[in-house]
Amino acid sequence: MRPIHWLCAATLCFSAAAGEAALRPPLLRAVAPALTRDGTLAAPASVPLWRLRGGDAAAAPNLGWLSLIPPVVALSASVALRQVILALLLGVWSGALLVHRGNGLLAAARTFDSYFVDALAEREHAGVVLFTLLLGGTIGLVQKAGGGLALAALLRRFMTSARSGLGACGALCSLIFFDDYSSVLIVGTSMREAIAALGVPSERLALLVHTMGVVLASVSPAGLQIGYVGALLKQIGAVDDPFLAAVSSVRYRFFPLLALAALPLSILLQKDLGPLGRQEFKPRQPRSSPRRTAERRAQGQGGGRAEGQGEGAVAEGGPGPLDPKAGTPLRAVNALLPFGTIVLATFGGMLADGAAKVRSLPDASRPPLSLVSILSHSDSITALIWASAAGWLSALGLVLAQGALALDEAMAAWAEGLKEVLEPMLVLLLAWALGAVIADVGTATFLARSLREGLPRWSLPPIALGGGSREYLLHCIGSCLGGATFGNICSPISDTTILTAPAAEVLATRCDLQAHVATITPYALLAAATALLFGSVPVGLGLYGPLAALAVGVAAMGAAIAVFGT
């Protein structure tokens, strides 16, 4: 295999970083239309650098290997500069530079007036921004009312150790199996104070929440990936029952399943990999945000602490805008009710939306009204908007009814919560913009062509080579989606990475972005290597089946953690 093919394979995984690419992998999107025609892909012509001068987007040529530049620039700049916003801007600008044939000024203008604006203008993206802002405001209101401190005190009664605390987080993630955004944001925000009180570093919480949230949503029959793959299979007419085939492809998703298995293996063996194993991260006490921490340090004060323990304690008060006022009764219901409302309203909203859509389908194509069909047709973004709005209104009504906050104080706390999520929202918008420019320069088509021509038959199931059995088709789907999940977990510009551990340390787990990437990468690399060596390759060679591959992979990964973990 030529070096360019290895570069293409690596870029394919990390190209899943920008928004929908994690759900709609570039290889599948590029290959599917070709399969409906003649089983081949058109080869884009390479363009010399000297020819990329001026011009507009409509006249942009096929760029060949140059289409790899935007994701490579963004990822390299993120690692080198440790500034995600600047790295994403450079990635978008480099792609716009290719689209507009070397016109740097026009590329800079289009970076902001086209790609950035279009990222926000898309309905699904605007919905994500809206529900995240509403959730941030709800969190601010809960914190100001003392609900976060009270919830942490309540949970400490049941979570007596770090292991039990992490187990409780894993159980909550398992309950929110239907959507990765919901799992990451709800579990991270509701459990972070209690986990910090148990002496668990935020990096470990981010590792658990991010991995479980992404993996469970990707393999769940009610998840968006299954629905998309089913629609794709129906489009190309490859199988008789597209949904059943999409569900069957889960057994070939070696990477996500092994990444999920790495978490309990690490806990059972009491060994960690990478920075966590070297104890580079120290447990952190519950805190509000870096900005409020700086305010406390400048004034030589603490903030947000409680007199007494558990329900009925009162806050001492603090200088931060979201620290509870002195004498505020700490009631866990002020957190349990809003967060519980969000969880239930999200699931209920998806059920209502999905059921309405299933009933509206023509009789000939309408599936039976079941939980799986309802959730696979639902719009999780719409449900999350409903749920975050309901959570905010329930929190507001609760604190006003209790007299814990005046209306002006409650709205000021809600506005402060909105401010806290502005930076991660900016990062998320730029990640979507990068995904758009990657599509414009044709990275997906070039990757599909290069991999199709450069990989041996046994290393890539024949759907990308034109033809093959049903099992090979499922194997290819599982491999592509596994690679997309790898990029979604590892990439510093992935949407779920940004929501899990934004650079501002204010959203789901309050874990530094670079620290989170450094923590999760060793586990992801181990799962990826195990999936390749004990899963995809031997199964592609026909040495054994997918279930045996999973068993061998789990055993091999457990041995690796036992030997190399600390």
Side-chain angles (χ1 to χ4, degrees):
M1 190 190 308
R2 299 193 302 271
I4 186 63
H5 297 131
W6 290 110
L7 178 61
C8 290
T11 308
L12 173 61
C13 294
F14 284 100
S15 292
E20 283 185 301
L23 297 180
R24 303 178 180 183
L27 183 59
L28 283 179
R29 286 188 290 173
V31 170
L35 290 178
T36 64
R37 297 190 294 274
D38 59 2
T40 61
L41 291 171
S46 297
V47 179
L49 282 170
W50 61 270
R51 292 183 58 187
L52 299 179
R53 297 194 302 271
D56 53 29
N62 292 320
L63 300 174
W65 66 267
L66 295 176
S67 63
L68 300 177
I69 289 178
V72 171
V73 166
L75 291 164
S76 301
S78 176
V79 173
L81 303 177
R82 301 178 65 87
Q83 292 292 332
V84 179
I85 291 178
L86 182 58
L88 288 169
L89 280 172
L90 288 173
V92 177
W93 178 80
S94 67
L97 189 68
L98 294 174
V99 170
H100 297 287
R101 302 193 177 193
N103 190 326
L105 184 60
L106 181 61
R110 294 296 175 264
T111 296
F112 292 96
D113 67 16
S114 293
Y115 288 108
F116 203 174
V117 171
D118 291 345
L120 180 60
E122 186 172 329
R123 186 182 184 281
E124 181 176 323
H125 295 172
V128 172
V129 171
L130 177 58
F131 86 68
T132 306
L133 289 172
L134 289 172
L135 182 60
T138 303
I139 293 169
L141 188 56
V142 167
Q143 288 179 336
K144 188 66 177 179
L149 290 172
L151 179 60
L154 176 64
L155 292 176
R156 280 199 298 270
R157 300 179 185 177
F158 306 98
M159 300 186 306
T160 57
S161 65
R163 180 178 294 186
S164 62
L166 292 172
C169 289
L172 186 54
C173 286
S174 299
L175 292 176
I176 312 176
F177 60 88
F178 44 84
D179 185 72
D180 49 0
Y181 285 1
S182 305
S183 181
V184 165
L185 290 172
I186 293 173
V187 178
T189 54
S190 60
M191 299 294 288
R192 63 193 181 196
E193 302 293 345
I195 290 296
L198 293 171
V200 178
S202 59
E203 291 78 10
R204 187 181 295 278
L205 175 62
L207 169 66
L208 175 71
V209 169
H210 192 187
T211 302
M212 291 198 67
V214 170
V215 170
L216 291 178
S218 72
V219 300
S220 168
L224 296 181
Q225 277 196 10
I226 295 294
Y228 172 73
V229 172
L232 180 63
L233 293 175
K234 183 177 181 180
Q235 172 190 342
I236 65 178
V239 292
D240 295 332
D241 190 335
F243 179 76
L244 180 59
V247 174
S248 299
S249 72
V250 170
R251 65 180 183 270
Y252 290 102
R253 310 247 191 119
F254 301 119
F255 169 75
L257 295 175
L258 290 174
L260 190 64
L263 300 178
L265 285 174
S266 178
I267 294 175
L268 291 174
L269 295 172
Q270 297 185 2
K271 288 192 174 185
D272 292 297
L273 301 174
L276 279 178
R278 296 191 297 269
Q279 297 183 340
E280 293 182 5
F281 303 121
K282 296 180 180 179
R284 297 169 180 168
Q285 294 301 314
R287 55 192 173 88
S288 299
S289 76
R291 175 168 57 85
R292 292 193 291 276
T293 300
E295 291 173 353
R296 296 186 189 120
R297 290 176 177 172
Q299 300 183 29
Q301 298 178 6
R305 295 180 293 161
E307 295 179 355
Q309 298 291 329
E311 190 79 13
V314 295
E316 290 184 0
L322 293 183
D323 290 325
K325 296 186 300 182
T328 299
L330 301 183
R331 301 184 176 97
V333 68
N334 289 342
L336 290 173
L337 181 61
F339 292 151
T341 298
I342 291 172
V343 174
L344 295 176
T346 299
F347 191 67
M350 291 180 68
L351 291 177
D353 181 69
K357 290 180 178 177
V358 170
R359 292 192 183 98
S360 67
L361 294 174
D363 293 340
S365 59
R366 183 187 302 160
L369 196 62
S370 63
L371 179 63
V372 171
S373 65
I374 288 173
L375 291 178
S376 62
H377 285 81
S378 66
D379 182 354
S380 62
I381 303 300
T382 299
L384 285 167
I385 293 173
W386 298 340
S388 55
W392 165 45
L393 294 176
S394 65
L396 179 63
L398 194 60
V399 298
L400 293 179
Q402 294 173 352
L405 296 174
L407 180 59
D408 290 345
E409 293 173 324
M411 293 308 298
W414 183 75
E416 284 293 329
L418 295 183
K419 295 177 185 177
E420 297 287 9
V421 300
L422 290 181
E423 183 175 348
M425 284 301 94
L426 178 62
V427 174
L428 194 56
L429 286 171
L430 285 171
W432 286 325
L434 178 62
V437 80
I438 286 173
D440 284 351
V441 299
T443 306
T445 301
F446 174 70
L447 288 171
R449 169 187 169 270
S450 299
L451 291 174
R452 177 176 175 268
E453 294 181 351
L455 291 176
R457 182 181 180 88
W458 56 264
S459 66
L460 185 68
I463 183 174
L465 305 174
S469 68
R470 180 179 183 274
E471 289 302 310
Y472 271 117
L473 172 65
L474 299 181
H475 189 182
C476 183
I477 291 172
S479 298
C480 291
L481 292 176
T485 305
F486 174 76
N488 202 13
I489 288 177
C490 285
S491 173
I493 57 174
S494 161
D495 48 3
T496 53
T497 300
I498 294 165
L499 293 177
T500 302
E505 300 189 59
V506 294
L507 209 49
T509 60
R510 292 181 182 160
C511 169
D512 177 73
L513 177 62
Q514 298 295 339
H516 172 54
V517 173
T519 303
I520 201 171
T521 298
Y523 289 91
L525 289 177
L526 174 62
T530 305
L532 179 65
L533 296 177
F534 299 99
S536 296
V537 171
V539 171
L541 291 171
L543 300 181
Y544 45 70
L547 298 182
L550 289 173
V552 173
V554 170
M557 197 162 52
I561 293 175
V563 172
F564 298 106
T566 54

